Amino acid sequence: MDSLADLATPITMGILYGGLYVVIALGLSLVFGVMKVINVAHGDMVVLGSYIAFVASTSLGIDPILWLVLGIPLFFILGIVIQRFFLYRAFKMSADAALIIAFGLGLIIQNAEQLAWTPLSRSLQTSYSLKSFQIGEVYIPLVYLLDFIAALIIILIIHQFLKRTYLGQAITAASQDRQTAELMGINPARVYQIAFGISMALAAVGGVFLGLTFPFTPTSGVSFLIIAFGVIILGGLGSMTGTFIGGLIFGLSQSLGGTFLGPTGQLLVPFVMVIVILTIRPQGLFGR
Amino acid sequence: MPEDVLLNVKDIDVFYGTLQILWNVSLEVLTGELVAIAGANGAGKSTLLKTIAGMMHPTTGNIEFLGEDISRKNAYNIVTMGISLVPEGRGLFPEMTVSENLMIGSYNRNARALSKEQLCRVYDLFPILKERKNQMAKTLSGGEQQMLVIGRGLMSNPKLLIIDEMSLGLSPLIVNNLFQVLHEIKEAGVTLLLVEQNVWKTLHEADRAYVIETGRIVMSGDALKLCEEVEIRNAYFGV
Amino acid sequence: MQRTLRGYIPMALIGLTVLMLALLPTIDISQIWLLYIFHFFIFLTLANGWNLLAGFSGLLALCPAAFIGLAGYTMTILTWLKIPFYVGILAGGIVAALFAILISRSVFRMRGIYFAIGTLVLPEILRLLFLRWRPVGGGQLHGGGAGYMVKGLTGITMQNTYWLGLAIGLASVIIIAIILRSKFGLGLAAIRDNDASASSSGINVFRLKLYSFIIAGFVMGVAGAIFYTYQGFIEPTSAFNIKWLMTAMLATVIGGKGLEEGPLVGTIVVVILHFQLSRYANISLLIQGIILVIIMLAVPQGITGLIRDFRKEGGLRALRRLTQKRIKLITNPRKD
Ligand SMILES: Nc1ncnc2c1ncn2[C@@H]1O[C@H](COP(=O)(O)OP(=O)(O)OP(=O)(O)O)[C@@H](O)[C@H]1O
Ligand SMILES: [Mg+2]
């Protein structure tokens, strides 16, 4: 890394594919916000989204992004089912029980994927996978730009949904004060279901862009969970701008980690960042 | 005239875990009344209100609202039926704006269609809220916050509005203003059930009152009469 | 008199069982059985360690793999430096305990889910570090990464390894038994009921949790190091693998989290699953995951907890309560 100019490429790339983490973290934080529970299987659900898109594109020939038209409602419903029949019941027992159940669900997903698609790494190949574009001296793969655009669109949609609809306001209210929300006529169980459904729909989106950006294996999920959690505590729970910037920062850290420390640095740097942030601010940077 | 009974609490016992808080409590609120509940700290006033609103459930006895048993219903269903509880300690949504806080008050399906008119009504009652409508709720002053939660309670278009400790921590001037508004609300046909520490003020404003002591109703009746009784009692017992 | 005699009977039974387990390798028993029981000891230790954390100390720590991997690597590296493996095993436990002390400064500031994720990251970081780091030269296994053979194991038989496993398994049971019957155990019980009120009643919550963390780190570390003397080689991806957590968690939850005998019962189930399904490795983990979810939903108190309830309430009533709960869940899942 001789000069700053050489860093232009990794910096731009990191910021762009950081959009991926924005999408993944947003799903995680919606559920965290209302239920105060981290779905430790969220990363695995994202990777499941990648695999389903993989099947859609390899055996049905559907473009992964186009697949989302079906994938989003499918995952939304899946989310409602999982929430209703598994997580909510565990949640009523204790926070530990919810975490253990989610852990078990993650394990089930991982090993089912391994049975179905082997432990080998896969990626989503499309006609535009190898395309890139040029800004000045810098060549950027097109899919990275797509990650960024997806993040922008998703953030805008979710923001509008939370602000402008009764259901979105119910989710916001329940995140801030569950008991009072109930007094407003909000059924918390229903809010949890909707939030979880949306979280899963976002996992489907995240999964597609993940598959377009990086190779994935059945066990990739944990890394994405950790980074997404890092994004939430860095950006602040419930803050859209925070989540957006947090995601980009983590993308950047991954890209620069890879540049300076080689392949293992790509995850090492973000992971160490998570530990450092958690240590400085054990309840999250915006402490709630 | 039984049609006039809006809320009928019959012989309820309420527990926190194994700890009994309310013993055999009965209470009636007639349509159009302003009823007050008075009692010392820890007497169980908030517990009684929470039970009526469905946040807790009695182990024995039942609660009827408009003739229907609501003692097993969840809080979010009871709002829809027309009972609105303004909780103690101003439970507002701090990171939502004033107008968002108000609008979420009309979340239940019976109130949604009327939300625009209700909002105007609330802004008429509390013009300051209109000025502050885009401000985060947490940035309001204590008095404004109390106006906000009362306004939010009205947004659900309730038949019965229950307010827990309205005047806590507010200056007498603001309390007077709030009572003024309560009368307007009452004129508009909303029945009111109030819990207050500020006994004198409340008893003078209310039609009827109940006094609750360590989980039991010890006195009830015409508010002004009760005033005198309490005075006599205090004179005797030197409370 | 009769009472005290009766009190000794279970003790005698336990002693006899241990003696039989110790003598097992001396009779002509199939190696595969030794292998099963060896795994039972290792998994039991992990479960006991995790139960001490999650079950008794309110620390839902997701980092057993960090203790195991670090201890395994310590032992392996030391054998490369010509230090006997049994010294390495002890050193491994100590390094794991030191690591527990080191990270406690950071992770003990975190609460609940933050603590869980904070501890989840640790083995991941270690894995990446060990993928980069070559502590001793040469000898790495195929496929890259810092894989090493364990040296100095010539002449060590399955019997020897078995006894090592028995020693740590037994030690973990005894340690837990002592802890639970001491003042330390009483303090933990107070913490588990309520952190805040325990600390206000003069219990040093931080110190007790730290002791639990160190002890669990040590026993899990020793078990891990012993496991790697059996395996004969170590590499980062499996050493710092989340599967270690899975095993510890599963054995604890199946048996009964927060119950002393829980890990013992749960580990038997896990070991049976492990070997019955070992031909289908993925299916095995899949089924373990499914069992974890089902147990947690249907019998959160675990098998031992269930048995305890049966004893306390009489079989029929407990069964009725269980089925009633199930019916209620089925008929109105949404109701609070
Ligand atoms: N969540 C709870 N768990 C256990 N006990 C509780 C709980 N909430 C209240 N209590 C107890 O119930 C009793 C009645 O409480 P409640 O809040 O109803 O009193 P109150 O009359 O509203 O008092 P105040 O005037 O101080 O608001 C008190 O002794 C209180 O300690
Ligand atoms: Mg009160």
Side-chain angles (χ1 to χ4, degrees), chain A residues 38 89 92-93 96 99 101 103 107-108 111 114 187 229 233 261 264 268 275 278-279 282-283, chain C residues 60 106 109-111 113-114 117-118 124 128 132 245-246 249 257 282 285-286 296 329 334 336:
Chain A
I38 278 288
R89 289 180 187 178
K92 301 223 77 170
M93 287 182 223
D96 282 12
L99 196 137
I101 294 271
F103 188 80
L107 205 83
I108 293 171
N111 287 286
Q114 234 163 73
N187 175 350
F229 189 74
I233 48 177
L261 300 174
T264 49
L268 192 57
I275 274 289
L278 272 174
T279 307
Q283 303 287 349
Chain C
L60 202 71
S106 153
R109 305 183 50 181
M110 308 168 195
R111 292 265 167 278
I113 192 74
Y114 294 87
I117 303 285
E124 296 294 320
L128 294 168
R132 302 172 60 82
L245 167 64
M246 174 65 207
M249 187 189 276
K257 182 159 86 72
N282 295 328
L285 275 168
L286 183 66
M296 204 61 219
L329 279 175
R334 281 259 293 269
D336 287 21

Side-chain angles (χ1 to χ4, degrees), chain B residues 9 41 45 50 65 84 88 105 115 117 123 141 157 161 194 228 231 235:
Chain B
V9 177
N41 286 116
K45 305 179 299 290
K50 283 184 197 164
F65 182 67
S84 185
E88 190 177 21
S115 62
E117 299 149 45
Y123 283 153
S141 75
N157 197 20
L161 181 66
L194 304 185
E228 289 162 21
E231 219 162 339

Side-chain angles (χ1 to χ4, degrees), chain A residues 88 162-191 194 237-238 286 288, chain B residues 50 53-55 74-77 79-80 83-87 91-97 100-101 103-108 111-112 115 136 152 156:
Chain A
Y88 187 58
L162 290 178
K163 271 272 173 198
R164 303 256 176 269
T165 65
Y166 264 109
L167 210 52
Q169 285 282 288
I171 291 177
T172 313
S175 314
Q176 293 180 23
D177 187 339
R178 205 202 63 142
Q179 287 227 315
T180 308
E182 236 176 295
L183 287 176
M184 302 298 108
I186 296 165
N187 175 350
R190 193 169 121 81
V191 165
I194 302 288
L237 188 59
F286 294 82
R288 251 237 314 224
Chain B
K50 283 184 197 164
M55 294 166 83
N74 287 315
Y76 49 86
N77 291 323
V79 195
T80 316
I83 296 183
S84 185
L85 170 64
V86 175
L92 37 71
F93 302 111
E95 308 275 339
M96 289 166 77
T97 65
E100 285 171 345
N101 263 280
M103 287 306 281
I104 199 72
S106 62
Y107 177 84
N108 78 78
R112 249 182 238 195
S115 62
M136 284 294 163
R152 192 186 59 189
S156 70

Side-chain angles (χ1 to χ4, degrees), chain C residues 62-332:
Chain C
L62 304 185
C63 59
F67 300 137
I68 292 159
L70 272 179
Y73 261 104
T74 306
M75 184 274 296
T76 309
I77 291 165
L78 288 179
T79 63
W80 276 69
L81 303 175
K82 308 237 170 356
I83 291 167
F85 72 91
Y86 45 86
V87 178
I89 290 172
L90 207 64
I94 291 170
V95 167
L98 287 176
F99 181 71
I101 296 173
L102 181 77
I103 60 172
S104 66
R105 296 212 120 235
S106 153
V107 295
F108 276 26
R109 305 183 50 181
M110 308 168 195
R111 292 265 167 278
I113 192 74
Y114 294 87
F115 177 82
I117 303 285
T119 50
L120 178 69
V121 191
L122 295 170
E124 296 294 320
I125 290 178
L126 289 171
R127 179 174 59 85
L128 294 168
L129 284 177
F130 274 82
L131 278 170
R132 302 172 60 82
W133 189 38
R134 295 266 177 292
V136 279
Q140 76 246 31
L141 295 175
H142 55 85
Y148 290 98
M149 306 297 294
V150 181
K151 288 196 168 181
L153 289 180
T154 36
I156 305 303
T157 59
M158 187 64 221
Q159 271 89 338
N160 303 136
T161 319
Y162 174 94
W163 278 317
L164 284 172
L166 172 66
I168 187 61
L170 189 63
S172 75
V173 172
I174 293 173
I175 288 171
I176 297 290
I178 291 175
I179 287 178
L180 292 183
R181 281 158 191 76
S182 66
K183 233 170 109 184
F184 183 14
L186 282 177
L188 286 181
I191 291 179
R192 203 155 65 120
D193 290 345
N194 191 335
D195 241 30
S197 75
S199 71
S200 69
S201 66
I203 294 170
N204 189 335
V205 174
F206 178 84
R207 178 118 45 91
L208 288 192
K209 287 190 173 188
L210 180 64
Y211 289 162
S212 286
F213 206 49
I214 296 170
I215 293 169
F218 180 78
V219 290
M220 286 181 174
V222 170
I226 293 174
F227 177 83
Y228 282 104
T229 63
Y230 150 74
Q231 179 151 298
F233 67 90
I234 190 166
E235 51 87 26
T237 306
S238 64
F240 297 103
N241 202 297
I242 201 158
K243 278 169 194 158
W244 288 119
L245 167 64
M246 174 65 207
T247 303
M249 187 189 276
L250 192 69
T252 310
V253 169
I254 291 180
K257 182 159 86 72
L259 298 171
E260 193 181 354
E261 315 84 355
L264 210 61
V265 178
T267 307
I268 294 175
V269 178
V270 168
V271 170
I272 291 173
L273 278 173
H274 190 80
F275 285 100
Q276 280 305 305
L277 299 168
S278 63
R279 266 160 295 164
Y280 328 96
N282 295 328
I283 297 189
S284 165
L285 275 168
L286 183 66
I287 292 181
Q288 292 187 35
I290 293 172
I291 292 178
L292 179 68
V293 170
I294 292 176
I295 292 262
M296 204 61 219
L297 283 178
V299 248
Q301 73 274 45
I303 297 175
T304 11
L306 194 65
I307 295 172
R308 213 175 256 197
D309 290 357
F310 267 78
R311 281 228 196 109
K312 233 188 256 162
E313 310 184 13
L316 256 175
R317 202 146 28 109
L319 198 68
R320 197 174 317 138
R321 203 170 53 98
L322 196 72
T323 47
Q324 259 170 8
K325 203 167 70 190
R326 192 84 46 76
I327 290 165
K328 216 155 100 205
L329 279 175
I330 292 166
T331 48
N332 46 3

Side-chain angles (χ1 to χ4, degrees), chain C residues 29-48:
Chain C
I29 187 174
S30 127
Q31 292 283 309
I32 195 80
W33 274 101
L34 288 188
L35 189 67
Y36 287 2
I37 304 176
F38 169 74
H39 273 83
F40 169 79
F41 294 142
I42 299 297
F43 291 176
L44 173 66
T45 313
L46 301 185
N48 268 328

